Structures are given as C-alpha cells and as structure tokens.
Amino acid sequence: MARDIHGEGQAHEPVLLDEVIHWLRPETGGTFVDCTVGLGGHAEALLAASAATRVIGIDRDPEALALAKQRLAMFEPRFRAANANFSDVGTVLAEMGERDVSGMLADLGVSSLQFDKAERGFSFAADAPLDMRMNQSEGQTAADLINRLPEAELADLIFEYGEERGARRIARAIVKARQKQTVTTTGELATLVIRALNVPGRWRIHPATRTFQALRIAVNRELQALQSFIPAALSVLGPKGRLAIISFHSLEDRIVKRSLQLESGRCLCHVRAQGTGVIRAADLPEPERSNDGDLICSRCGARRRVEVLTRKPVRASREEIARNPRSRSALLRVCERL
C-alpha cells in the first residue's frame, strides 16, 4: 500500500503481510474485517489462510472497492464488501448482522490505486487536478482548501498535519499566488512549495511531501476518523479477537498508541503536564474510578478492554523494504480484546 512517498510508482504489494497474518491468525477460521480493503491484498491472504475464514472488506473509495471485489470474486460468498468510511465499522457490521468478529485490520493512509493514478491528485509525480479525496463523490478538494482558507489557518494546517517547519512561508506563498490565479494542480502547488522553502535541485525526499500529506489528511479528515474508529472497532470485536492497525507517520501512530494505552487500562491523566515535563508518581491523585463496567478513569476514559500484544510497533524487515520501499515507514500495533 502506498503511503506518503509521493513519486514512487510500483505495483501494489500489501505491507507487513506476513506479520498481519501472524498476529490475526486467520488459519483458525472466523469472520475478519479489513476496514481499509484497498485493492484487496491483505484480504486475499486472510481468505487464503483457511476455507473457514470469512472477510468483510470496507473502503470509502468506490473505485478501489470495485477492483477488490473483482480480485476476490473467487472467494465468494466468503467475501462481502461495503462502501463506507472505516470509522463506521460498527454500523456496517450491524447492518450485516455481524458481531463478535475474530479479527480486524486497518491499513491507514492512501491506497495504491489512489496514489498511482495521477488524476486523483495525491502525488506530484505528474501535474494533475489537486483533488486528494478518497471518495470523489463527497467533500471538498485540496484545491478548495488552499484557495479558501485564510493564511493563518492554512499555515496551521500544514504545520499540524504535515509537521512542516516552513508552514508559514508556504502558506504565504500560496496566498500570494492565488491572488493572481487560482491554484488548481499538483504541479503548481509543488512548485510553490519548492520556491517558498528555497530548496532548488535534487532531494532525497521531495520538499512538498509534508504539505501534500497535510492537505490529504485534512481533506479526508483522517485523524478524526481514526480516533472514532478504534473504540468502534473494539465494540464489535469478540473475546480474544484481535485488532491490527498499520500506520505510516507519527501523527497516526501517536493516536493509535495512546488509544490502545487507554483501552488497556492505563490512566493518562497526569503522565505529562503541559509544558512542565513528567510529574512524579507520588504527586498523582488516584484515578477517578467509575461503576461503569470496565471504565477505570472517568477523566481520561481509560478502561480495561484489551491487552496490547506489541510492546513496540512492528516494522518491515530489511528484505521487505528492499522489495517494497513504501513499507519503510509502516508501523504495526496489535491488541487483543479481553
């Protein structure tokens, strides 16, 4: 799956495939949900692991979902598909009459189809319309954002979602350019970023990578969807069922790590005081406990629902990175429902 490495065209290869199969254990049978099925690489491996395994594939991109259905037609009726945002997994499964599933996978970010088709506007490898919507039938485009937002908001967006230190210079350059002519293509935006950062020449990572990442995340509300997804997924995961999440940058991984900590019962209220560093454990008050089932702390929402199985995120092997450079930033975290 392609993630945030704008400009590397190559055939689709699901990342961390062996590791996903190892942790989800589809060979034992049961119902699994690929919440971001993309072109169906992970789903195919799950289905091939056992004739007793069923997979529900969810994707918000109708085009990718249609291709996944074609690829997995040989497994029908063990494969079912749904066009939806992965954060709506609870609703999707309720409509299908499914509950207590055996395992779930979320492979975050941009699919190979979205990334490799220039007209989708995710990459600056070719000059194309500045779209970036994972579902092109809904929402505003990246062009809408950069031509509408005030300079300060645009700078904050690029800094927060792209972690781009030159965000203010980039926003200033965009606003100045759009006063003369609307910015509508990936090539125009990439050129503006290069000029704003004053980095002509050759680079290991393209200067516009972080800006494109920021706009894509904002357009598709990816971080908000991820925050909603994890509790929704755990609510339909059966006992001993496993949730595997593959993230590709620090913004995603921080949300996954923190969410799994809270879901494993770790109170995070006073782990770090804003701007003052770590507080001594002796100075901490007891968590506000609740009578609400497994809820441990009513302030931060910590509850004992899962066991985290991966103390540190699982990364791609050197062999996989050499074979598929897009896997180099992949981080896999897994938990098991109690």
Side-chain angles (χ1 to χ4, degrees), residues 18-96:
D18 292 342
E19 291 81 358
V20 166
I21 298 303
H22 166 75
W23 286 104
L24 290 186
R25 307 169 300 178
E27 67 278 1
T28 61
T31 299
F32 293 79
V33 186
D34 188 338
C35 300
T36 51
V37 70
L39 297 181
H42 288 107
E44 183 177 32
L46 291 168
L47 288 160
S50 169
T53 294
R54 300 174 300 280
V55 172
I56 297 168
I58 300 173
D59 207 286
R60 67 193 299 185
D61 186 337
E63 186 178 3
L65 195 63
L67 292 173
K69 290 169 69 174
Q70 291 178 18
R71 176 178 187 165
L72 303 173
M74 69 183 78
F75 294 104
E76 291 180 356
R78 292 195 289 125
F79 176 73
R80 289 177 288 170
N83 181 205
N85 193 311
F86 74 127
S87 63
D88 296 325
V89 61
T91 301
V92 170
L93 294 189
E95 291 175 350
M96 290 185 173

